[in-house]
Amino acid sequence: QVVMAGRREECTWKRHITEQLKQRDRVQRQAFEEIIHQYNRLLEKSDLQTIVTEKLQTEKYDPQGRHDLSPGSDSSRCDVLQQEVSQIRIKHQEELTELHKKRGELAQTVIELNNQLQLKDKEIQSNEEYQQQISELEGECKELHNCLQDLERANQTLKDEYDALQITFSALEEKLRRTTEDNQELVSRWMAEKAQEANRLNAENEKDYSPCFSHLISPFSVIYIIIIFFFLRRRRSVNSFGTSPEATEPPSGVCAEVRVPSTALHIFDAHDGEVNAVRFSPGSRLLATGGMDRRVRLWEVIAGRCEQKGALMGSNAGITSIEFDTAGSYLLAASNDFASRIWTVDDYRLRHTLTGHSGKVLSARFLLDNARIVSGSYDRTLKLWDLRSKVCMKTVFAGSSCNDIVCTEQCVMSGHFDKKVRFWDIRAESIVRELELLGRVTSLDLNHDRTELLTCSRDDLVKIIDLRNNTVRQTFSAQGFKCGSDWTRVSFSPDGSYVAAGSAEGVLFVWNVLTGKLDRTLDKGHSSAINAVSWSPSGTYVASVEKGSKTVLWSDL
């Protein structure tokens, strides 16, 4: 079919050229017919003039002979003939001049026609090019038509999928409506049962009281008892997330004495690959590490050594940060699979998976009530999660990738890629203030009374910000200290008197906050850049992890 189509196209343009040539012959033949006709007349007249000239020449010489013979008789006749010949010659000269003039005009016409012929030839050549372009455009048109058909089929498939999803959505809406109605019914039943239970308690209280004290019981007392009952049930339901009674108590306070580390007590491979995060539990005996092997490992510190206690699994990508709740019962970890997860420490069970970010979750922290958490992501948003309902309560757009987070009672502080530390009011969902540093912010940490903020940035500076007046109180730097990555973590000591930070060369730096000077450097332990540092709540140990697989436990023992 392609060959036949090509032949038909070839015959079409050949036929077109033939018709153009015939049309040219018809147009130009008329002009040349007039030239040929005039030229033939010119030849005929030229032959006639030649014959007349010869005849006149002959007659010219004959009358002279006859004049010699009879000069008187034919003189008048010769004069007449000469006059006639002169007139004929003049006439012929005029006709010849006119013919020359017409020949010049016809020659000019021939030149013009030749020029037009050349133009027509060029037009024919351009028409051939146009025909080729038309053929190419027809091919492209066919291809576009085929693509259009494919797109129409794909569009129909998407439409069918959309219809199916719409049906599924309608079914889910109906299911949600039924579930809401069931929930309302259960709440009504629960309220009725509570009312019955309150009535029963009132009846029992009336039986238990002796008649001598019956005058002390009043309706206000009954109302007071009911209020206390519901308050206790409400408190128990809030703590049903799993926090122990100690979780609602404030921290026990600052440790008695902080020991500045001087020796690497234990060096071990905590993970198969890079280790990103490290954190001591509030009890100081449990150490958690998170790495690119998608696991959080728990280590028990016994006599200056770390013995593996268990592993928390469930993440689909590398761990980026670790956080314990205030009681040490739950562990929160952020990961590169756009999610945050919560495990129970006692049985290593995965309790919650919080998804909703569209980028890597680089940091996640418990709020002080342990019932909410805040997560910051590479997608430039912060999310507030309610652990009782397991839903995202708020989403705030920060404008830049969030590398680390710390929290106070009503304020969240976040460090970002655009060199800014932002302070957020949880209740208002708005930025209270901003503080710009000289480099990308990699780490944030709070001291024990939450009045000072420790920052680390890519300009190789560690700073302490006084949160009471929002000013930089101290700046630490040292020769050889270099921030190794965008998530290098630094740490306050438990009493806030020392600062520990790891460098890109694998050296641990410890500064004295009171003097503002470098206290010591520890370079025998790591062989690559230190990613994170954590100080134990007792102040006895410091743990550090690196881009390699090593974890080092430091102390002055």
Side-chain angles (χ1 to χ4, degrees):
Q1 292 179 358
V2 175
V3 173
M4 293 297 292
R7 289 179 178 177
R8 284 197 296 271
E9 292 178 358
E10 184 178 2
C11 292
T12 301
W13 69 264
K14 285 184 177 180
R15 191 181 301 110
H16 178 73
I17 292 175
T18 304
E19 291 176 357
Q20 291 291 329
L21 291 174
K22 289 180 180 180
Q23 180 67 22
R24 187 188 66 180
D25 291 341
R26 286 194 296 270
V27 173
Q28 296 181 358
R29 183 177 179 181
Q30 296 176 0
F32 282 106
E33 283 180 353
E34 180 68 21
I35 295 173
I36 293 170
H37 179 69
Q38 294 295 335
Y39 184 72
N40 291 333
R41 286 184 59 193
L42 181 62
L43 289 177
E44 289 176 358
K45 289 184 180 182
S46 178
D47 293 339
L48 179 61
Q49 185 178 4
T50 302
I51 294 170
V52 172
T53 302
E54 291 178 354
K55 181 178 179 181
L56 290 176
Q57 289 292 336
T58 304
E59 290 178 357
K60 179 181 179 181
Y61 290 107
D62 286 343
Q64 287 180 359
R66 286 195 300 271
H67 179 71
D68 293 335
L69 295 175
S70 55
S73 59
D74 295 329
S75 59
S76 61
R77 185 180 177 183
C78 284
D79 293 336
V80 172
L81 289 173
Q82 287 181 357
Q83 290 178 359
E84 291 178 356
V85 170
S86 298
Q87 291 176 358
I88 291 171
R89 181 177 294 173
I90 291 169
K91 185 177 180 181
H92 287 173
Q93 287 291 338
E94 292 176 354
E95 291 179 355
L96 183 61
T97 302
E98 184 178 356
L99 289 174
H100 280 296
K101 183 178 180 181
K102 287 185 176 182
R103 185 176 69 178
E105 294 176 354
L106 292 174
Q108 182 66 29
T109 304
V110 170
I111 292 172
E112 292 176 356
L113 291 174
N114 285 329
N115 293 332
Q116 293 179 2
L117 182 62
Q118 291 177 359
L119 294 175
K120 293 294 182 181
D121 290 337
K122 291 181 180 180
E123 290 180 0
I124 291 172
Q125 292 179 358
S126 62
N127 288 334
E128 291 177 357
E129 294 177 356
Y130 291 150
Q131 288 293 333
Q132 185 177 0
Q133 292 179 1
I134 290 170
S135 300
E136 293 176 355
L137 291 174
E138 287 178 350
E140 293 179 358
C141 184
K142 291 179 181 178
E143 293 179 358
L144 292 174
H145 183 68
N146 295 331
C147 292
L148 179 61
Q149 292 179 349
D150 294 338
L151 291 174
E152 288 178 350
R153 288 193 292 269
N155 188 22
Q156 185 63 34
T157 303
L158 292 175
K159 185 177 179 181
D160 295 339
E161 292 179 357
Y162 173 77
D163 294 338
L165 290 174
Q166 191 70 25
I167 294 171
T168 305
F169 178 71
S170 301
L172 290 175
E173 278 188 336
E174 180 64 22
K175 185 176 179 181
L176 177 62
R177 185 186 62 79
R178 291 197 300 268
T179 304
T180 304
E181 292 177 356
D182 294 341
N183 187 25
Q184 291 177 354
E185 182 180 357
L186 289 173
V187 170
S188 300
R189 289 171 56 187
W190 180 80
M191 293 296 293
E193 290 177 358
K194 293 304 175 185
Q196 293 177 2
E197 186 176 357
N199 293 331
R200 182 179 58 80
L201 290 175
N202 291 335
E204 292 178 356
N205 290 331
E206 289 177 358
K207 291 179 182 179
D208 292 339
Y209 281 109
S210 60
C212 62
F213 293 100
S214 61
H215 67 280
L216 298 176
I217 300 175
S218 66
F220 295 101
S221 301
V222 175
I223 295 173
Y224 179 71
I225 293 171
I226 294 173
I227 291 173
I228 292 175
F229 172 76
F230 278 106
F231 174 76
L232 293 175
R233 292 300 298 262
R234 176 67 176 172
R235 184 175 181 181
R236 188 154 53 245
S237 65
V238 169
N239 290 332
S240 63
F241 171 66
T243 57
S244 60
E246 292 84 354
T248 60
E249 295 177 1
S252 58
V254 183
C255 64
E257 181 182 1
V258 172
R259 298 177 180 178
V260 180
S262 59
T263 306
L265 297 180
H266 189 196
I267 302 173
F268 59 100
D269 292 331
H271 293 267
D272 298 332
E274 184 175 351
V275 189
N276 294 330
V278 61
R279 182 76 62 178
F280 276 98
S281 71
S284 297
R285 292 182 59 84
L286 194 63
L287 177 68
T289 58
M292 294 302 292
D293 59 357
R294 303 177 296 177
R295 287 175 173 80
V296 177
R297 297 187 187 274
L298 300 177
W299 310 84
E300 188 172 5
V301 181
I302 300 175
R305 295 186 63 83
C306 295
E307 297 181 2
Q308 185 170 351
K309 187 178 179 182
L312 308 180
M313 294 179 290
S315 176
N316 299 316
I319 304 297
T320 56
S321 76
I322 294 174
E323 172 81 352
F324 284 95
D325 69 336
T326 54
S329 302
Y330 290 85
L331 185 142
L332 169 65
S335 64
N336 287 330
D337 62 353
F338 308 170
S340 302
R341 291 174 175 83
I342 298 176
W343 291 267
T344 48
V345 176
D346 294 336
D347 55 5
Y348 315 140
R349 289 182 59 186
L350 178 62
R351 296 294 181 178
H352 304 293
T353 299
L354 307 176
T355 59
H357 284 289
S358 60
K360 301 176 182 179
V361 183
L362 301 178
S363 181
R365 303 283 186 180
F366 282 104
L367 292 182
L368 297 184
D369 58 5
N370 292 328
R372 295 176 296 172
I373 70 167
V374 178
S375 60
S377 171
Y378 186 76
D379 64 2
R380 300 179 292 177
T381 64
L382 279 77
K383 290 182 180 289
L384 178 64
W385 306 84
D386 184 2
L387 298 181
R388 288 167 292 192
S389 60
K390 304 176 186 178
V391 297
C392 177
M393 300 170 58
K394 298 176 183 178
T395 299
V396 181
F397 182 73
S400 178
S401 173
C402 178
N403 291 334
D404 201 5
I405 296 172
V406 291
C407 306
T408 60
E409 185 175 356
Q410 294 296 339
C411 183
V412 174
M413 287 153 275
S414 55
H416 295 271
F417 188 84
D418 62 356
K419 306 179 184 179
K420 292 182 180 180
V421 178
R422 292 179 170 87
F423 299 81
W424 306 87
D425 188 346
I426 297 176
R427 298 163 294 184
E429 303 183 28
S430 60
I431 301 176
V432 178
R433 59 183 181 272
E434 292 182 349
L435 180 64
E436 186 170 359
L437 303 181
L438 299 178
R440 298 191 293 271
V441 183
T442 68
S443 175
L444 300 176
D445 193 23
L446 291 171
N447 65 346
H448 62 92
D449 56 0
R450 303 181 185 276
T451 59
E452 294 179 346
L453 176 67
L454 179 66
T455 67
C456 180
S457 54
R458 291 308 299 270
D459 58 353
D460 305 330
L461 295 177
V462 178
K463 296 182 179 182
I464 294 179
I465 300 171
D466 191 340
L467 299 179
R468 291 165 293 193
N469 52 22
N470 197 29
T471 58
V472 177
R473 189 171 70 86
Q474 280 180 300
T475 300
F476 304 102
S477 63
Q479 184 177 1
F481 175 74
K482 185 177 181 181
C483 186
S485 66
D486 287 344
W487 49 87
T488 298
R489 311 297 192 199
V490 298
S491 177
F492 263 124
S493 65
D495 62 352
S497 58
Y498 292 94
V499 170
S503 71
E505 285 76 20
V507 180
L508 182 64
F509 289 77
V510 180
W511 286 275
N512 190 317
V513 175
L514 299 178
T515 63
K517 296 181 180 180
L518 180 66
D519 190 283
R520 64 188 62 186
T521 57
L522 305 174
D523 56 359
K524 295 180 180 180
H526 288 286
S527 57
S528 60
I530 298 176
N531 280 337
V533 178
S534 178
W535 217 305
S536 67
S538 64
T540 306
Y541 300 105
V542 173
S544 57
V545 295
E546 63 174 24
K547 284 190 175 181
S549 60
K550 291 181 181 179
T551 298
V552 180
L553 183 66
W554 308 86
S555 183
D556 66 340
L557 299 176

